[in-house]
Amino acid sequence: MIEPSRDLRDICAIAGAGTSRLGRAPGVSSLDLLVEAARNAVADSGIHPREIDGIICRGPDDIYSHHQMIGERLGINARFSTTVANGGASQILSVALAVMAIRHGLATTVLCGYGRDAWSRTHSSEETRVRNETRPDSQLASEFGPEHGYYGAAAAHALGAMRHMHLYGTTKEHFGRIAVDFREHALRNPDAQMKKPLTMEEYRAQRSIVRPFGLYDCSLRSDAAGAMIVTSAARARDLKQPPVLIKGFGTHNNLRGWTADDNMIVTAAKQSGEAAYRMAGLGSGDIDTAQIYDCFTYMVLAQLEDYGFCKKGEGGPFVASGALRLDGALPTNTSGGQLSEAHAEGVLQIVEGVRQLRHTYPAGRQVKDAEIALISGHGGNQVCHSTLILGRDR
Amino acid sequence: MSDTAKPEPRPAPESVLFWEAARRHKLELPQCSACGKHWFPPTRACPHCLSADFAWSEVSGRGEVFSFVIYDRVYHPAFADEVPYVVALIELAEGPRMISGITGIAPDDVRCGMKVRAVFDDRPGGASVPVFAPA
Ligand SMILES: [Zn+2]
């Protein structure tokens, strides 16, 4: 059988990518951060802003019709425009929707992106510092959780981590290896929020948050945004940058719930990845670098298994082998990821994938001979997933 | 001592009967009249077969710890005196899983797969909250 989605393979490219300042930007709203990233993406592509006729973005959960505000700020009337709401899976979903819109003539050039002000939001006053909650009140549970002291995204993911440890003998040191390796990558990235080295000794001595997770198992609170320009591969070839082809994408959503079935162990990355591999005509062995949605260390380990880089249950030994390092078998989160570069719900992973495939990084930051990158997005209530496979133009 | 009360459950319309049963120290879940399965959290259609024909029925309260976490950080001031405390995902004998608390055992001794039974924690605000103790 011919995979229907293969008709979408290589027909579009990411022609431009940009980020805002990353880390702490007090006084700059999430909208303004995304405008900053969008301006940088437009400039990077060399495209005239008036050519953009599509906007697909995700806003902070409390901003209604976010894409309208972005269009207003950028002076763009769009033929195709929407805000998507699939949590950290939204950013790749936006790119996938852009490809489908372009394929079917609904738009020619689509701006995708996301910005958030999570650092400022949780540090603007003593009250928000204590509360440390980025979601609006309307999204917080009113029963079956708070009465037990069940709060925060860390605990939900930690339930998966604890069960993985129980089933497969995965250890804290395995999680630590992910945190330590990504921090090492961040030190090579001048834009990264985290500037200090992290040793395994420091990881072991970390402040516990919700076991098995401590501080360094949790991603950063960041003010950060990223944006991409998606257009046809043909058009991209006439622009300033070497096009980065969109070879495959997939999505899957375990909407029965994170705690249902086996979803904490075999995540939606499995089906999402299989769909993306089918569309691209590629497999896990073809991936030169991975940019994995690292909200928590365990989620990296689970996804590496689900994407087939190692067998289910063998993620611990896989990361312990040094596979994720820049010179490892699968250089992963080469910017430092959300654990150490900045957390913008997966959009910075796409930007990093694009940049690695352009081969413009200096040695010591560049994944050698990277031809194919796999990028993942994960979110909602831990059940929504999206996968993007990018490749260099030949 | 913390002078902040633990949050009272604020029931959705679909779960009012769950909390009423809990006040009588009964663990009751919706059970489908068409396929016979239970589900949780309470809603008004069976997620297994979409039948809207169901009844509230008492379950055994027996189950096991599917997974758990141990809170060392205080997220809410009412739990400042509780840390370290356990939040567990309990798989009931009847199938549904629920987030709950664990009582009657030191946090470090909790294990995945541990057999547990429901007990009821009567809160000052009037709610009775089902939690689980080693069976
Ligand atoms: Zn049923």
Side-chain angles (χ1 to χ4, degrees), chain B residues 73-84:
Chain B
R73 193 193 132 180
V74 177
Y75 280 74
H76 187 291
F79 292 89
D81 298 332
E82 307 274 326
V83 289

Side-chain angles (χ1 to χ4, degrees), chain B residues 32-37 39 46-51:
Chain B
C32 181
S33 306
C35 76
K37 290 182 179 167
W39 70 90
C46 170
H48 304 286
C49 75
L50 284 189
S51 169

Side-chain angles (χ1 to χ4, degrees), chain A residues 378-393:
Chain A
H378 153 92
N381 292 318
Q382 298 83 242
V383 299
C384 300
H385 200 93
S386 56
T387 310
L388 184 64
I389 298 177
L390 300 177
R392 275 172 71 81
D393 197 15

Side-chain angles (χ1 to χ4, degrees), chain A residues 130 132 141-152 154-155 158-159 162-163 166 208-211 259-261 264, chain B residues 7 10-12 15 19 40 66-73 75-76 79 84-85 87 97 100-101 108 112 123 129-130:
Chain A
V130 170
N132 204 26
S142 63
E143 59 182 334
F144 308 130
E147 69 274 23
H148 301 294
Y150 181 58
Y151 297 102
L159 283 170
M162 189 71 91
R163 182 144 179 97
H166 166 71
S208 175
I209 304 290
V210 50
R211 283 180 256 168
T259 60
D261 306 318
M264 297 191 302
Chain B
R10 289 179 289 123
S15 43
W19 293 108
F40 183 84
F66 188 80
S67 192
F68 68 99
V69 298
I70 305 174
Y71 277 78
D72 288 311
R73 193 193 132 180
Y75 280 74
H76 187 291
F79 292 89
Y85 67 91
V87 171
R97 293 180 192 155
S100 192
D108 284 335
C112 293
R123 298 284 176 87
V129 175

Side-chain angles (χ1 to χ4, degrees), chain A residues 34-372:
Chain A
L34 180 49
V35 167
E36 189 176 315
R39 290 179 68 248
N40 288 335
V42 170
D44 179 64
S45 71
I47 213 159
H48 191 281
R50 290 293 163 274
E51 277 191 60
I52 297 172
D53 57 0
I55 298 179
I56 308 175
C57 59
R58 172 167 181 244
D61 300 312
D62 52 352
I63 298 186
Y64 173 69
S65 291
H66 180 262
H67 59 284
Q68 295 181 22
M69 296 182 197
I70 293 300
E72 183 178 21
R73 279 166 164 74
L74 297 175
I76 292 170
N77 292 326
R79 293 170 61 205
F80 189 87
S81 171
T82 192
T83 297
V84 298
N86 236 22
S90 300
Q91 326 322 331
I92 292 171
L93 179 61
S94 299
V95 172
L97 289 171
V99 171
M100 291 187 270
I102 292 166
R103 169 70 178 78
H104 293 291
L106 299 174
T108 65
T109 307
V110 181
L111 172 75
C112 301
Y114 176 68
R116 76 187 322 209
D117 57 349
W119 188 85
S120 292
R121 191 181 282 235
T122 51
H123 291 74
S124 59
S125 71
E126 186 57 34
E127 189 203 349
T128 61
R129 252 196 302 279
V130 170
R131 197 153 163 270
N132 204 26
E133 178 58 70
T134 58
R135 295 189 176 203
D137 286 346
S138 60
Q139 286 196 1
L140 302 179
S142 63
E143 59 182 334
F144 308 130
E147 69 274 23
H148 301 294
Y150 181 58
Y151 297 102
H157 292 84
L159 283 170
M162 189 71 91
R163 182 144 179 97
H164 200 281
M165 295 169 87
H166 166 71
L167 291 174
Y168 303 114
T170 307
T171 66
K172 282 282 295 170
E173 302 270 313
H174 292 142
F175 299 142
R177 192 59 199 253
I178 293 166
V180 167
D181 284 354
F182 292 0
R183 181 62 61 86
E184 206 276 327
H185 293 161
L187 300 181
R188 300 161 184 262
N189 173 2
D191 296 327
Q193 191 170 341
M194 303 312 283
K195 308 285 190 197
K196 287 187 200 153
L198 174 66
T199 65
M200 188 59 91
E201 289 65 38
E202 288 165 319
Y203 175 85
R204 284 193 205 100
Q206 70 182 326
R207 181 160 58 87
S208 175
I209 304 290
V210 50
R211 283 180 256 168
F213 290 161
L215 186 64
Y216 300 126
D217 293 295
C218 305
S219 52
L220 302 170
R221 298 271 193 226
S222 308
D223 300 331
M228 293 76 59
I229 307 292
V230 180
T231 189
S232 71
R235 174 76 182 114
R237 289 187 182 106
D238 292 335
L239 293 170
K240 197 162 125 193
Q241 303 290 349
V244 171
L245 295 177
I246 297 166
K247 303 189 81 68
F249 50 74
T251 69
H252 195 73
N253 305 278
N254 283 332
L255 304 182
R256 281 167 50 79
W258 175 243
T259 60
D261 306 318
D262 206 18
N263 296 341
M264 297 191 302
I265 299 298
V266 182
T267 74
K270 181 162 177 57
Q271 294 95 331
S272 178
E274 286 167 357
Y277 287 143
R278 283 197 302 273
M279 176 172 158
L282 297 170
S284 58
D286 297 308
I287 306 302
D288 300 312
T289 177
Q291 310 296 333
I292 301 288
Y293 195 97
D294 54 340
C295 45
F296 300 94
T297 50
Y298 163 66
M299 286 313 300
V300 176
L301 192 142
Q303 291 175 69
L304 290 169
E305 297 170 347
D306 296 334
Y307 279 117
F309 297 116
C310 60
K311 288 192 184 130
K312 181 52 65 185
E314 294 179 3
F318 182 73
V319 302
S321 75
L324 308 190
R325 298 172 61 87
L326 202 62
D327 58 356
L330 182 74
T332 296
N333 292 20
T334 46
S335 66
Q338 299 180 150
L339 290 165
S340 281
E341 182 196 36
H343 189 338
E345 301 234 335
V347 75
L348 300 178
Q349 269 85 345
I350 304 176
V351 173
E352 175 67 5
V354 168
R355 289 175 176 170
Q356 284 291 355
L357 294 177
R358 286 181 181 169
H359 291 186
T360 49
Y361 277 136
R365 175 93 162 81
Q366 177 66 44
V367 176
K368 201 165 172 294
D369 302 328
E371 294 287 325
I372 305 287

